[in-house]
Amino acid sequence: MTAKYPQTADDNFLITLAQRGDSSAYDALCARYKAFICKIARSYFIAEGGDTNDLIQEGTIGFCKAVADYRAEKNNSFPAYAALCIHNRIKDALRSALRAGSSGVPALSITDDAGEERIANAIGYADDPVTSYIRGENNEAFFRKAEKALSARQYAVLRLYLDGFSYAEIAEELALDMKAVDNALSAAKSKLKKLYKADA
């Protein structure tokens, strides 16, 4: 099926049409920003944990809000505004999960110092390499440390995952099965958390 709008169509043009109810324009925007949404959501997953699909879904809801509310004359560039909306939606979801103890995360009191620190880390306030990555900084130091700490397979899986590749795509790219991808990513996450604690 041929896309209604070319890939070169301007964001603002598509946003205006989407705000007028053009579902094809909205679909084109979603397709264009899918990897962008996944990258943000998966960075939170690496930093704190949780269900990746849930985080991507929350990020997509934030993206929908960005499309609906964006005003070129009032806001910064659309990618910057969309990133803000995606981050805020995921942060709200993590706050709710941490307070309620859902998704396997222990319930924490919002007034408890330890709880505040845990929430801060989960929603990207702590200044660690993963948080820098979430904020879009060019942090090659993070990747150099990760490469030293991880096995070659773990590092390759991590890089592809943070670049927005799905488990299936990583498995195909690296000639692995899905279980091996999951195991490598879990091991990488565990090692990186220990690395952050050692550097703290």
Side-chain angles (χ1 to χ4, degrees):
M1 180 178 177
T2 305
K4 184 174 180 180
Y5 299 105
Q7 292 184 350
T8 54
D10 181 70
D11 276 357
N12 289 340
F13 170 72
L14 293 174
I15 290 166
T16 299
L17 293 177
Q19 289 174 348
R20 293 174 181 171
D22 188 329
S23 60
S24 294
Y26 174 75
D27 289 344
L29 285 165
C30 285
R32 178 175 295 177
Y33 282 89
K34 180 180 178 181
F36 181 75
I37 296 167
C38 289
K39 182 176 287 190
I40 293 174
R42 287 169 174 168
S43 295
Y44 280 92
F45 169 81
I46 292 293
E48 180 59 22
D51 187 301
T52 318
N53 290 331
D54 286 349
L55 295 178
I56 292 172
Q57 184 176 18
E58 294 295 339
T60 302
I61 293 171
F63 180 76
C64 291
K65 184 180 187 304
V67 173
D69 296 346
Y70 180 70
R71 299 292 181 273
E73 67 277 11
K74 294 182 179 180
N75 304 119
N76 295 323
S77 69
F78 178 69
Y81 183 71
L84 177 64
C85 291
I86 294 166
H87 280 298
N88 286 343
R89 179 71 191 196
I90 293 175
K91 288 174 183 180
D92 287 345
L94 283 169
R95 285 193 188 98
S96 297
L98 287 164
R99 288 174 180 144
S102 61
S103 300
V105 180
L108 296 169
S109 168
I110 192 67
T111 60
D112 180 74
D113 289 341
E116 287 281 10
E117 183 179 358
R118 180 79 178 281
I119 291 171
N121 287 334
I123 62 178
Y125 293 155
D127 289 326
D128 59 40
V130 171
T131 312
S132 295
Y133 184 86
I134 293 169
R135 291 172 178 165
E137 297 176 11
N138 180 17
N139 198 335
E140 285 303 315
F142 161 62
F143 289 114
R144 285 196 296 271
K145 287 183 178 181
E147 188 171 15
K148 289 180 180 178
L150 306 178
S151 71
R153 173 182 291 186
Q154 291 161 3
Y155 182 72
V157 169
L158 176 69
R159 286 301 301 246
L160 290 173
Y161 188 76
L162 290 177
D163 284 339
F165 283 66
S166 69
Y167 273 40
E169 289 168 336
I170 295 171
E172 182 178 358
E173 182 75 16
L174 300 179
L176 301 171
D177 59 40
M178 298 277 281
K179 183 63 176 175
V181 171
D182 184 59
N183 288 343
L185 187 60
S186 296
K189 180 180 166 186
S190 178
K191 288 182 180 179
L192 290 175
K193 282 191 174 183
K194 291 178 182 178
L195 182 65
Y196 303 150
K197 289 178 181 178
D199 287 347

